[in-house]
Amino acid sequence: MNAIAPSPAAPHLDLKIEGMTCAACVSRVERALANVPGVTSVRVNLANEQARVVGNGGAAALIEAVDRAGYGARPLDTPDRAAEAERAAEAHRRRDLIHAVAAIALALPLVAQMVWQLLGWDFNLPHWVQLALAGPVQFWLGARFYVAAAKALRAGTGNMDLLVALGTSAAFGLSLYLMASHGGHAHLYFEASAVVIALVLLGKYLEARAKSGAAAAIRALMALQPDTARVERDGREIELPVAALVTGDIVVIRPGERVPVDGRIATGTSALDESAMTGESLPVERAIGDAVIGGSINGEGLLKVEATALGADATLARIVALVEGAQASKAPMEKLVDRVAAVFVPVVVVIAAATCGLWWLVTGDGEAALVNAVAVLVIACPCALGLATPAALMVGTGAAARAGILIRDADALERAEKVTVAVFDKTGTLTQGKPVLTDLIAIDGNENGLLALAAAVQSGSEHPIAHAVVAAAAARGLTLPSLQDFRALTGRGVAARVDARAIRLGSRRLMAESGIDASGLAARAAELEKQGRSVIWLAEIEAPARLLGLLAVGDTIRPSAKAAIDRLHALGICTVMLSGDAMGAAQAVGAALGIGRIEAELLPQDKLAAIAALKAAGAVVAMIGDGVNDAPALAAADLGIAMGSGTAAAMEAAGVTLMRSDPALVADAIEISRATVAKIRQNLFWAFAYNTLGIPLAAVGWLSPVIAGAAMALSSVSVVGNALRLRRWRPQR
C-alpha cells in the first residue's frame, strides 16, 4: 500500500487544558482561545482534555488567554510533551483515587447514621463527630471545587465546580447554623455535603479511567514504532535512536522485530504483519523493491530496508495525526451542546434560587427549602453533556483505525452515517487495477511494431493500462522508439511524437475528436468490450491520418468486491459505477457485481455532473475512487472515500481513507460511522434526560442531595461507559 499522502496542513498547536470539568468549561476555553489575534479556529475536547488551535496565535498568548479564563494550559507540540502530559494525567488519576477513597471513608459513618435513621433506629452521632468527619471532606478533599469555582467566577462564568461548591457549602453552612441555634437535638445535613463530594470525587476518578480507555487507540498506535533501529553505517552495524536516522539509511530488521521506518526492501524477502496499520489479518509477502510500513512486524526473513520516510512524514505518524485530528474535531450535532452549555450554569443557579424561595414562601420550612435547592445545584452538573460526543468520537474513530479506516474528522463521520448512494470508480477500486494485455490487432499485421509504438507512447504515463502495455513490450524484448512531446489528454488518452510521428492513443472518443475513422475495427472492439476488456485505439494523425490498430487489456475484479456491493445493498445503500472506460468493459464488471446503475466513457467533468445530479435528486453521495481523475469527484461528493493504494491527490480530496485496497472497507466505514453516531445520539439523550428529569424532581423535593450526587456522578460514568462499548465493534466478514 502507499504511504498516507502528505498534505499542506494549516499551522496549528495542540494544548493540554487543565481544570475543565463540564461542557460549560469547554465553551469558555474555546471563546478565550478564539479571541487571541491570529487564531482562525479552535476545537476543545473534554474527553482528552486537549485543544487544537489553528492559526498563528503564539503559544505564550494562547496559554495566557486560557489562564485568564480560569484554566491551565501547556503545549503538546512534541511527542515528549505528549508523553509528559500522559504521565501527569496518570498521576492525577492516582490522586483522584486516593481522594475518593479518603472521602468515602470519612463519609461512611454519616451514611450509616442516615441508613439507621431510615430504618427507624434512634441513633445519632454526636454533632462534633459529624463536624469532624465532614469538615476534612468539605475543605480539604473538596478544596479543588472552591479553587476552580473561584477561577470561573473571576472569569465571569460558571461551571460544574461552582454548582458543587455552592450546593455542598449550603448544606454544610445550614448544618453549622442548626448546631449553633438548635443545640444537640437538631437534625444536621453534614452527610449531604460529605457524601456529595465523595461521590463526585469517585465519579471523577471513574470518568478519568473511562476517558483513558477512550484514548487507548492513539496510545496503541504510538507504541507501534520501536525506539531504536539497527543501521549499517561505515561498513558496520550500529544501534541508533529512530529519531537519529536519515533518509537513505539501510536498516537491518531481524525476524520477529517491528519495522522501525517506512522504506523499500534492499535485500531479503519475508511476510510482514501489517494488521495494526491496515487491518489486514493475514501476513503480506514482501520482496526486494517492495515498500514496507514502519510499525509492521517482520516474519521469518532477514530484511535490509532503505529508509524513505521518517518522523512526521512516516505512514504511522500520519495515521496518528489523522486519528488525533478526527478525535479533536467537533461533530455538527455538538453545536447544540455548545449553545446549551453557554447558558446552563446561570440558569441552574436561578432555578435553585427560585426553588429555595418558593419552598420557603409556600411551606415556611427554611431547612427543606435550602436542602431542595442544594439538590438542584448538585444534580444539574453538565459533565455528561460535555462528554457525550467527544467520548463516542474518540472510541469510534479509534475502532475504525484498527480496522484500517482513517476518518479525517467528525464532520466526515457524521456524513458517512447519512450516505444513501455509493458511487464507485472501476479501475483500481472494484478491480485490481493491474490490467494485462490480452489482445493486439494491427491494421498492417505487424503486431510487434504496433506494440512497440504503443509502449513508447505509454512509457510517459503512470496509468495502470500504460504499465500493462509497457510490460507486454518488455516481455517480448522489443526496443522502443524515442518519445517526444508527451501530453496527457484528461479522460481520453495521450498524445505524443514517436520518431517524429504524431500519435494519438486512447478512447474511441479521442479517435473521433482526431478525425480518425475507426469503423473498420468497431465490431471487433465491441466483442472485446462485451468480454469485459478495455480497448485502447492507436492512430497516426499526420501525413496521412490513419488508424494503426487497437489493444485490449483485461483487469480482474477484486475478490471482495461482490460481497462489498451486497453488504451495501443490505445497508439500504444504492450503488452506481462511474467509469472512464468503454461501456462494454464497465457493463461487464457492473453486471458481475450487481451494481444497479452504470455510466461509462466519462471525463472527470462528466463524473462531477453525475454526482451533482444525484445530489440534486436528494441523495447523500459517497464517492469511492483511487486515481488523480477521481479527485474532483471525491471532493464534490458529500463524502469522499479514497482507496489506500490510490494517489496522493485522491487521498487529499477524501474524508475517509481506506488503508488497504479492499472495497469491503466501504461498508465497514458506513457501519462504524452509524454505530458511532448512534452512540453520540444515545449519550446526548441520556445527558439531557438526566438534567431535564433530575432538576424538576430535585426542585419539588423528591431527590435528596445524596441521591442527586450519586445520579450526577453516574451520568458522566454511564455516558463514557456507553461510548466504550464501541471498542467491541469489529468489521463483518
Side-chain angles (χ1 to χ4, degrees):
M1 64 151 271
N2 290 359
I4 297 299
S7 59
H12 70 269
L13 179 66
D14 290 332
L15 299 173
K16 182 69 174 179
I17 308 296
E18 298 172 342
M20 293 193 302
T21 54
C22 62
C25 299
V26 172
S27 298
R28 178 63 186 172
V29 172
E30 284 185 340
R31 287 197 301 271
L33 290 170
N35 289 332
V36 175
V39 172
T40 57
S41 69
V42 179
R43 295 175 299 192
V44 177
N45 189 318
L46 179 61
N48 60 13
E49 298 175 333
Q50 292 180 18
R52 173 157 292 185
V53 185
V54 179
N56 297 296
L62 295 171
I63 292 171
E64 183 182 354
V66 174
D67 185 65
R68 285 198 306 269
Y71 305 90
R74 60 177 183 272
L76 285 175
D77 51 358
T78 66
D80 289 342
R81 283 181 167 173
E84 178 188 345
E86 179 57 33
R87 288 192 296 271
E90 178 60 32
H92 286 161
R93 287 194 290 272
R94 287 196 299 269
R95 182 204 63 182
D96 286 346
L97 176 60
I98 293 169
H99 284 191
V101 170
I104 291 169
L106 290 169
L108 273 177
L110 298 172
V111 174
Q113 172 188 261
M114 182 178 65
V115 172
W116 291 334
Q117 290 172 351
L118 289 173
L119 293 174
W121 299 347
D122 186 14
F123 177 82
N124 281 290
L125 291 170
H127 286 181
W128 67 268
V129 173
Q130 295 183 47
L131 177 60
L133 292 169
V137 176
Q138 186 72 38
F139 300 108
W140 168 45
L141 300 172
R144 65 170 71 181
F145 301 113
Y146 288 103
V147 172
K151 288 181 178 179
L153 288 174
R154 282 201 304 271
T157 188
N159 57 13
M160 180 207 83
D161 301 293
L162 178 62
L163 297 179
V164 173
L166 284 175
T168 58
S169 296
F172 194 91
L174 175 61
S175 299
L176 289 178
Y177 168 76
L178 294 173
M179 279 181 66
S181 62
H182 290 68
H185 300 291
H187 174 75
L188 308 182
Y189 296 93
F190 283 126
E191 79 279 355
S193 64
V195 172
V196 165
I197 288 176
L199 289 171
V200 172
L201 291 174
L202 178 61
K204 287 184 72 66
Y205 167 70
L206 295 175
E207 178 187 309
R209 279 279 307 272
K211 288 193 293 186
S212 175
I218 288 291
R219 292 197 300 274
L221 285 170
M222 295 177 70
L224 292 176
Q225 186 177 51
D227 296 325
T228 61
R230 275 184 295 277
V231 184
E232 287 187 347
R233 285 189 181 175
D234 301 325
R236 61 194 183 93
E237 188 178 304
I238 59 175
E239 188 166 311
L240 292 175
V242 170
L245 301 186
V246 296
T247 302
D249 272 338
I250 300 298
V251 180
V252 180
I253 307 161
R254 294 172 181 166
E257 293 182 338
R258 282 198 182 274
V259 178
V261 295
D262 285 6
R264 293 198 175 275
I265 297 177
T267 62
T269 60
S270 187
L272 276 77
D273 178 358
E274 300 175 352
S275 58
M277 277 72 63
T278 68
E280 174 57 62
S281 57
L282 298 176
V284 181
E285 294 290 337
R286 301 294 187 200
I288 294 174
D290 288 342
V292 297
I293 310 170
S296 54
I297 302 174
N298 186 21
E300 297 181 352
L302 176 67
L303 297 179
K304 293 186 179 181
V305 173
E306 179 185 356
T308 58
L310 300 165
D313 294 327
T315 299
L316 183 59
R318 293 194 175 280
I319 292 173
V320 170
L322 279 171
V323 177
E324 285 181 332
Q327 294 183 346
S329 64
K330 281 198 171 187
M333 65 178 69
E334 198 170 356
K335 294 175 183 177
L336 172 63
V337 175
D338 292 341
R339 290 195 296 269
V340 171
V343 298
F344 189 85
V345 173
V347 168
V348 169
V349 172
V350 170
I351 293 173
T355 298
C356 184
L358 287 172
W359 268 86
W360 206 330
L361 181 65
V362 173
T363 67
D365 188 344
E367 291 181 25
L370 194 55
V371 167
N372 292 333
V374 169
V376 169
L377 291 169
V378 170
I379 201 168
C381 166
C383 305
L385 279 176
L387 290 168
T389 299
L393 191 62
M394 288 178 68
V395 182
T397 53
R402 286 194 300 273
I405 303 162
L406 298 183
I407 299 171
R408 185 179 295 274
D409 52 35
D411 195 38
L413 181 119
E414 196 164 323
R415 291 197 305 272
E417 184 263 345
K418 298 185 176 85
V419 166
T420 58
V421 175
V423 176
F424 286 88
D425 173 51
K426 181 178 77 71
T427 304
T429 303
L430 293 171
T431 65
Q432 297 282 9
K434 296 180 180 178
V436 295
L437 185 68
T438 59
D439 297 270
L440 191 61
I441 303 174
I443 294 290
D444 61 5
N446 183 3
E447 291 186 353
N448 282 348
L450 181 73
L451 180 57
L453 188 61
V457 175
Q458 294 283 48
S459 64
S461 172
E462 289 298 316
H463 195 280
I465 290 179
H467 290 304
V469 173
V470 173
R476 294 193 183 194
L478 302 180
T479 300
L480 305 187
S482 61
L483 174 70
Q484 302 91 29
D485 302 332
F486 175 87
R487 287 184 296 121
L489 305 173
T490 305
R492 292 165 293 164
V494 295
R497 284 194 171 272
V498 179
D499 286 346
R501 299 167 66 185
I503 302 297
R504 295 287 187 274
L505 183 147
S507 66
R508 180 74 176 267
R509 175 186 291 190
L510 179 60
M511 297 298 104
E513 290 177 358
S514 304
I516 302 297
D517 180 12
S519 59
L521 293 179
R524 180 65 177 134
E527 276 182 40
L528 292 169
E529 289 173 352
K530 285 181 181 178
Q531 298 169 23
R533 307 280 194 264
S534 292
V535 174
I536 49 177
W537 303 77
L538 188 68
E540 187 172 1
I541 63 168
E542 294 177 359
R546 60 196 177 98
L547 181 69
L548 299 177
L550 62 78
L551 303 89
V553 296
D555 193 4
T556 56
I557 296 173
R558 292 189 184 276
S560 62
K562 181 66 169 68
I565 298 299
D566 290 343
R567 282 182 60 203
L568 288 171
H569 290 166
L571 291 171
I573 296 172
C574 299
T575 54
V576 175
M577 181 198 294
L578 302 180
S579 177
D581 285 350
M583 178 58 78
Q587 286 180 332
V589 172
L593 298 178
I595 294 177
R597 174 178 166 187
I598 300 162
E599 296 186 31
E601 301 178 14
L602 301 180
L603 299 174
Q605 57 265 35
D606 298 327
K607 291 184 179 181
L608 283 177
I611 287 174
L614 288 168
K615 292 170 68 175
V620 179
V621 180
M623 172 69 194
I624 303 98
D626 72 328
V628 172
N629 62 332
D630 295 322
L634 288 167
D638 295 293
L639 177 70
I641 301 178
M643 305 290 278
S645 61
T647 63
M651 285 187 264
E652 181 60 29
V656 175
T657 297
L658 309 180
M659 290 296 293
R660 63 184 191 275
S661 298
D662 184 354
L665 289 179
V666 176
D668 292 340
I670 301 295
E671 287 181 349
I672 186 58
S673 69
R674 289 184 177 183
T676 303
V677 172
K679 287 296 178 201
I680 291 174
R681 288 176 177 150
Q682 291 168 14
N683 283 351
L684 288 174
F685 170 80
W686 287 112
F688 279 112
Y690 274 116
N691 289 306
T692 54
L693 293 176
I695 291 174
L697 291 175
V700 298
W702 289 358
L703 286 180
S704 72
V706 171
I707 301 300
M712 185 268 285
L714 178 63
S715 67
S716 298
V717 175
S718 63
V719 160
V720 180
N722 187 45
L724 286 173
R725 294 173 61 194
L726 281 170
R727 294 173 69 177
R728 299 202 295 263
W729 178 84
R730 294 291 183 274
Q732 291 187 20
R733 289 291 181 270

